């Protein structure tokens, strides 16, 4: 799936078309075996989660927002939805750690600037982390090596970073 600069959406042989509705996006995620990553920009967090839970179990839904009030609203709605705070800081990460089942992204323009001590503390407190999008296979691999729990990307394809499956061993037909 790919978003064009004009707001059109392309995917799976369908060509370009209008952006999918929330329900269509959730169907796409379900059909592709992906967890929905829902970034809220409005205050209707419970409404968004109610729709998502028609398609997925709570523990499969990821609610993301730069607004901490949205994270708090989602936490009140469900203890099982994974919460992701965008552009988090140490104080917010520590508050989230008391809840568990959550993650943060830190606001470093270049992921190499993220202090290793902060990333270590994040994991020690049971909080997952990611950094800015990895837009090259090299950055993707480096972030994985750094310990990122998930790596957002705008253009790296799985076949560029995942190891190829080993070829099956040939069967010796003469043994049968």
């Amino acid at each position: 799936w790919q978003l064009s600069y004009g707001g059109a959406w392309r995917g799976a042989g369908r060509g370009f078309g209008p952006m999918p509705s929330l329900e269509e996006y959730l169907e796409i995620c379900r059909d592709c075996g992906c967890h929905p990553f829902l970034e809220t920009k409005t205050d209707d967090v419970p409404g968004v989660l109610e729709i998502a839970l028609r398609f997925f179990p709570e523990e499969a839904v990821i609610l993301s927002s730069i607004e901490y009030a949205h994270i708090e609203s989602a936490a009140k709605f469900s203890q099982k939805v994974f919460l992701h705070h965008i552009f988090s800081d140490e104080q917010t990460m520590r508050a989230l750690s008391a809840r568990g089942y959550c993650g943060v992204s830190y606001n470093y323009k270049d992921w190499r600037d993220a202090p290793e001590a902060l990333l270590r503390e994040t994991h020690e407190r049971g909080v997952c982390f990611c950094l800015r999008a990895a837009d090259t296979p090299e950055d993707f691999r480096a972030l994985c090596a750094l310990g990122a729990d998930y790596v957002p990307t705008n253009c790296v394809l799985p076949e560029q970073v995942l190891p190829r499956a080993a070829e099956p061993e040939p069967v010796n037909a003469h043994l049968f």
Side-chain angles (χ1 to χ4, degrees):
W1 295 93
Q2 179 183 14
L3 178 63
S4 77
Y5 290 107
W9 193 254
R10 177 175 67 185
R14 298 183 188 185
F16 279 101
M19 284 289 288
S21 67
L22 175 58
E23 289 87 351
E24 289 168 331
Y25 167 74
L26 293 165
E27 287 174 359
I28 291 166
C29 291
R30 185 184 59 208
D31 293 347
C32 294
C34 299
H35 292 273
F37 196 101
L38 305 170
E39 182 177 339
T40 59
K41 307 230 185 237
T42 64
D43 292 332
D44 190 24
V45 173
V48 169
L49 290 174
E50 285 174 6
I51 294 169
L53 296 179
R54 285 191 242 142
F55 293 82
F56 290 92
E58 287 176 276
E59 20 327 290
V61 174
I62 302 162
L63 188 287
S64 176
S65 185
I66 197 167
E67 299 292 336
Y68 193 71
H70 294 184
I71 301 299
E72 290 175 319
S73 177
K76 289 177 187 167
F77 184 87
S78 169
Q79 285 297 308
K80 295 180 180 177
V81 168
F82 184 89
L83 302 179
H84 171 80
H85 186 243
I86 301 169
F87 297 161
S88 207
D89 56 27
E90 288 179 63
Q91 179 181 353
T92 305
M93 177 272 294
R94 290 177 181 143
L96 281 170
S97 72
R99 181 210 189 251
Y101 201 52
C102 60
V104 295
S105 63
Y106 292 113
N107 190 12
Y108 292 97
K109 189 171 184 173
D110 185 330
W111 60 266
R112 294 168 194 85
D113 295 333
E116 288 186 35
L118 175 61
L119 303 180
R120 192 171 37 258
E121 179 186 352
T122 303
H123 274 164
E124 287 169 356
R125 291 181 175 270
V127 176
C128 297
F129 77 84
C130 72
L131 297 166
R132 294 265 182 148
D135 290 332
T136 68
E138 296 76 23
D139 281 348
F140 189 97
R141 287 186 195 97
L143 284 164
C144 289
L146 186 63
D149 298 286
Y150 41 103
V151 181
T153 181
N154 296 314
C155 52
V156 177
L157 300 173
E159 57 267 20
Q160 294 175 294
V161 293
L162 297 176
R164 294 185 185 268
E167 292 293 321
E169 292 292 322
V171 176
N172 187 340
H174 300 291
L175 296 176
F176 297 104

